[in-house]
Amino acid sequence: TFANSSIRIFSSKYIFRLCIVIATIDKHYFISIINSKIRIIMAFVVGSPCVGCKDTKCVEVCPVDCFYEGPDMLVINPDECIDCALCEPECPVNAIWSDDELPAEQIPFIEINDTMSQVWPNITETKEPLAHESPHTVKEAIAIGEKHVQENQ
């Protein structure tokens, strides 16, 4: 059941990238070796309040330029984020959370940030926001984010 799967463990303390070999015994008692990739992500996550707002005050304070700009929101690359927390207080709509403080309804944005930061261009300078707050509900914002992911797979 682990073949070609990714197991994600979230930690705001350490980053490790490991490839492990999981041995399982099938019904014929043969040992199958299955490679799985474990990613421990240390990052902040941009969530639903950014969708439709896209205020960019947070990008100027980022020391590692880990923000990426989509048409209607920003995302953080979890592989580049150093968990410095400088961006979180800069966001006027409170759209940025530490991975260990992420509200349950914002969990889909972990994958949205990870996937779309590989596609969208990097942003390092402030631009005019689209709006002063998101016009979308959390559910609508998740649907928009997931649509971006589906369009880019």
Side-chain angles (χ1 to χ4, degrees):
T1 62
F2 292 101
N4 298 322
S5 67
S6 227
I7 301 170
R8 292 175 182 254
I9 300 172
F10 302 97
S11 170
S12 60
K13 305 275 187 233
Y14 304 99
I15 292 179
F16 298 101
R17 288 174 198 211
L18 307 170
C19 286
I20 63 167
V21 176
I22 299 173
T24 60
I25 301 176
D26 63 21
K27 62 183 175 181
H28 302 291
Y29 301 102
F30 293 110
I31 295 179
S32 301
I33 305 298
I34 303 166
N35 288 324
S36 286
K37 178 181 172 188
I38 293 183
R39 289 183 68 198
I40 298 180
I41 299 175
M42 175 180 143
F44 277 75
V45 177
V46 178
S48 65
C50 188
V51 179
C53 172
K54 198 169 80 168
D55 193 298
T56 59
K57 289 183 179 87
C58 53
V59 302
E60 282 192 333
V61 298
C62 181
V64 293
D65 298 334
C66 67
F67 281 89
Y68 292 79
E69 180 184 19
D72 48 19
M73 68 180 292
L74 301 176
V75 294
I76 293 173
N77 184 316
D79 295 327
E80 296 173 359
C81 178
I82 59 170
D83 206 26
C84 69
L86 293 174
C87 59
E88 187 179 24
E90 292 298 316
C91 179
V93 295
N94 299 314
I96 302 173
W97 288 275
S98 172
D99 61 5
D100 60 353
E101 295 176 352
L102 190 66
E105 70 271 6
Q106 301 293 327
I107 289 175
F109 283 95
I110 294 170
E111 189 65 32
I112 294 165
N113 277 246
D114 187 26
T115 302
M116 299 317 300
S117 66
Q118 305 301 316
V119 177
W120 288 339
N122 189 248
I123 178 172
T124 59
E125 295 179 2
T126 301
K127 297 179 179 180
E128 285 296 316
L130 296 178
H132 294 292
E133 62 183 29
S134 177
H136 306 290
T137 65
V138 173
K139 192 173 184 176
E140 291 169 341
I142 291 168
I144 291 167
E146 289 175 343
K147 182 179 177 190
H148 290 311
V149 171
Q150 290 171 356
E151 290 172 348
N152 287 285
Q153 285 186 338

